[in-house]
Amino acid sequence: MSNYSPAHTATATLPSATTTLHVLVGTTGDNALHAAQAAADTLASHFKDTTVTRLDSSHGIAVLASETAAPGAPQTSDTVYIVCSSTHGAGDVPENAQAFLASFDLEPAYLGHVYYGLMAMGDSTYGDTYAGGPKLLDAKLADLGAKRIGTVFEHDASEDDDAPAAARAWATDWIASWAKP
């Protein structure tokens, strides 16, 4: 959407028979989790496997590392990620995603192999901090070379109560917007 820089968006090819989808969720309540699950369910037929992970203090940048690359070898990935986050406090990520965000500075790594979608949840009545948490994650991912694909899902809690329905509609558009045969 207009609040996100297109500078690091990318296109990708249609997921292959070996491509997995891993959805990482930062949430204060469960609204972001429900939206992420709805998106994952909608996208499941496009991927070999689909996993939704509610972030916690044990999740750092390593969750984005390639599992198949040898140490020191170029990172490659058969995984596409969706980072789904709500906003907490004055535009920060929720508590369960704070370790994940902090790890980008504490354990920096080049993430050029990472392709991800972004699901941003917030409440526009908070003004300048609207969707601040997802914007922080998006900026850190871009700084480390990750490539955002497709359109950004923005859910404004002050305008739309049904986040899972909006997420399902977005997921259908998201996969069609970047998955080119």
Side-chain angles (χ1 to χ4, degrees):
M1 298 278 198
S2 61
N3 293 334
Y4 299 87
S5 168
H8 66 280
T9 56
T11 56
T13 57
L14 192 64
S16 72
T18 61
T19 305
T20 61
L21 174 66
H22 193 168
V23 184
L24 305 171
V25 185
T27 186
T28 301
D30 283 335
N31 201 29
L33 183 62
H34 295 307
Q37 187 63 57
D41 291 347
T42 300
L43 295 166
S45 66
H46 296 278
F47 295 91
K48 173 186 168 197
D49 189 32
T50 304
T51 304
V52 177
T53 301
R54 189 176 198 271
L55 293 169
D56 63 34
S57 60
S58 69
H59 294 105
I61 197 170
V63 77
L64 300 171
S66 173
E67 298 168 7
T68 58
Q75 297 280 311
T76 60
S77 183
D78 281 336
T79 302
V80 171
Y81 298 89
I82 292 178
V83 177
C84 177
S85 179
S86 59
T87 301
H88 178 72
D92 203 355
V93 296
E95 285 185 27
N96 74 304
Q98 289 178 1
F100 180 65
L101 179 64
S103 73
F104 291 13
D105 292 326
L106 298 172
E107 310 164 38
Y110 179 66
L111 299 178
H113 66 285
V114 173
Y115 288 86
Y116 71 99
L118 183 66
M119 296 179 70
M121 313 222 11
D123 185 333
S124 64
T125 61
Y126 287 91
D128 291 344
T129 63
Y130 170 64
K135 290 175 185 174
L136 290 172
L137 289 166
D138 189 44
K140 288 291 185 182
L141 287 164
D143 286 348
L144 296 175
K147 296 165 211 71
R148 189 178 69 231
I149 50 178
T151 58
V152 174
F153 171 78
E154 275 191 316
H155 182 265
D156 185 349
S158 70
E159 294 181 6
D160 185 4
D161 290 334
D162 196 351
R168 283 189 289 276
W170 168 81
T172 300
D173 292 343
W174 179 75
I175 194 80
S177 73
W178 68 267
K180 308 295 182 199

